[in-house]
Amino acid sequence: MCSVKLLDCTLRDGGYIIDWMFGKKNIQSVLYNLNQAGVDYIECGFLKECEQNEDKTFFASPDSVPDNINCTLMVNFGEYPVEKFFQCKNKNAKIRVAFKKSKQNEALVYIQTLVNLGWKVFANPMSTNTYSNAELELLLNEINKIKPYGLTIVDTLGNMYQDDVQEIFEFIDKRLEESIALGFHSHNSLQLSFSNTKALLKMDFNREIVIDACVYGMGRGAGNLCTELILPYLNDNMGAEYNILPILKILDECVNPIYEKTPWGYSTPYCIAAIHGCHPNYATYLKSLDISDLEIGRILSQIPADKKTVFDEALLLGFIS
């Protein structure tokens, strides 16, 4: 039977907007209010090799996050040594490991080690929709052997349509062990995060489905699925009982003041990047140079296929006249 859970990653994905410097008071308020709203999983930030800073949502250890709420932490593979997990006492937090296709084999060994240590882990293959069916088959065979808590489909480029979402989830659902949760992390480059998520939720699953969202879509580039949009939808259509008022409190007190200074969300350059299957950082860089939309389209159309999904500043500069 399908169970739909909501994962809010405002403090992690939203951190790209402000270099993760939310401030201690805002961090505590966001955590408290997400918990009051009944959000199932709360992503506190990134695990990094760093000095702990109470104003920033980078964490030096899982022991640094609250153990009284259902937290998750993100690790970009290669940025946090697996050995550090041997020293941790708080295994309440779920660990989400994001990795590029080129680093998949090493990342899966990392994930297997965490699972063996007793951690509940999500595998997050970046730009999942760029995998061929054969590549997905190989990935799923390994995931089924490792048996992590979940596998997240990541629309890094923000270029998936409803048919794409349903096709990849159907393909994976048929091959992935039912005990493993399936997640969806979308980006709003084509203004389709909400409609794509609704299309996903209309499918039949016999597993846990985890939907990523951020308050007001706060995130890099065009941003993400909005928590305040999907939350009432889940209440009205999926039998959930979330409380919207604490989310609105986060909007008023934390997110809106940031947006007024450093806005994010849909814009034509991010749409163009998605159309060409390019990483949104290409659009961010070109926007910073005040290049016209027409010129951005011309430049991004020339990015080689094998360079599209990973931002390459030196390559990009070669196309700027």
Side-chain angles (χ1 to χ4, degrees), residues 84-310:
K84 286 186 173 289
F85 285 96
F86 288 83
Q87 308 163 16
C88 298
K89 298 177 181 178
N90 173 25
K91 292 188 177 179
N92 178 63
K94 292 179 175 63
I95 308 299
R96 303 213 295 170
V97 180
F99 56 90
K100 297 172 183 176
K101 190 191 300 186
S102 62
K103 297 293 184 180
Q104 176 177 300
N105 292 339
E106 301 98 312
L108 291 176
V109 172
Y110 185 98
I111 291 168
Q112 179 71 78
T113 303
L114 296 186
V115 171
N116 290 346
L117 288 170
W119 293 90
K120 292 183 177 179
V121 186
F122 281 86
N124 285 30
M126 298 178 184
S127 303
T128 317
N129 58 315
T130 66
Y131 281 62
S132 67
N133 284 349
E135 289 170 331
L136 276 178
E137 288 268 16
L138 290 173
L139 172 62
L140 295 172
N141 286 340
E142 295 304 312
I143 292 293
N144 284 336
K145 293 175 187 175
I146 296 170
K147 293 181 173 58
Y149 187 89
L151 171 69
T152 304
I153 310 311
V154 186
D155 182 16
T156 305
L157 307 179
N159 64 346
M160 295 178 75
Y161 294 94
Q162 291 184 23
D163 289 348
D164 300 320
V165 172
Q166 291 178 329
E167 181 178 338
I168 193 170
F169 270 88
E170 182 177 1
F171 183 92
I172 291 173
D173 184 53
K174 288 179 178 178
R175 294 161 176 82
L176 186 68
E177 288 200 7
E178 287 186 2
S179 62
I180 300 172
L182 253 179
F184 184 42
H185 183 89
S186 62
H187 290 125
N188 209 27
S189 303
L190 299 176
Q191 294 192 332
L192 293 176
S193 282
F194 188 40
S195 61
N196 284 349
T197 302
K198 290 198 299 178
L200 166 63
L201 294 174
K202 290 179 180 178
M203 299 176 67
D204 291 325
F205 297 101
N206 289 309
R207 67 174 77 246
E208 182 178 307
I209 300 295
V210 181
I211 303 299
D212 284 17
C214 295
V215 177
Y216 206 47
M218 186 180 181
R220 177 171 52 186
N224 307 285
L225 174 66
C226 295
T227 303
E228 68 277 6
L229 282 179
I230 193 62
L231 186 149
Y233 180 85
L234 294 175
N235 284 349
D236 293 341
N237 296 276
M238 307 299 296
E241 296 181 348
Y242 300 111
N243 183 359
I244 187 67
L245 293 180
I247 304 300
L248 301 181
K249 187 175 178 65
I250 295 171
L251 264 169
D252 284 344
E253 296 183 355
C254 176
V255 173
N256 282 337
I258 297 172
Y259 181 82
E260 290 172 4
K261 295 179 180 179
T262 314
W264 59 87
Y266 173 83
S267 71
T268 311
Y270 293 119
C271 171
I272 296 168
I275 289 169
H276 289 291
C278 292
H279 195 282
N281 281 355
Y282 283 112
T284 300
Y285 187 87
L286 293 171
K287 278 183 62 172
S288 72
L289 300 179
D290 289 328
I291 291 176
S292 71
D293 291 345
L294 178 62
E295 185 66 5
I296 290 174
R298 183 193 68 79
I299 292 169
L300 294 186
S301 69
Q302 299 179 74
I303 304 294
D306 62 342
K307 299 290 186 180
K308 289 184 175 184
T309 61
V310 179

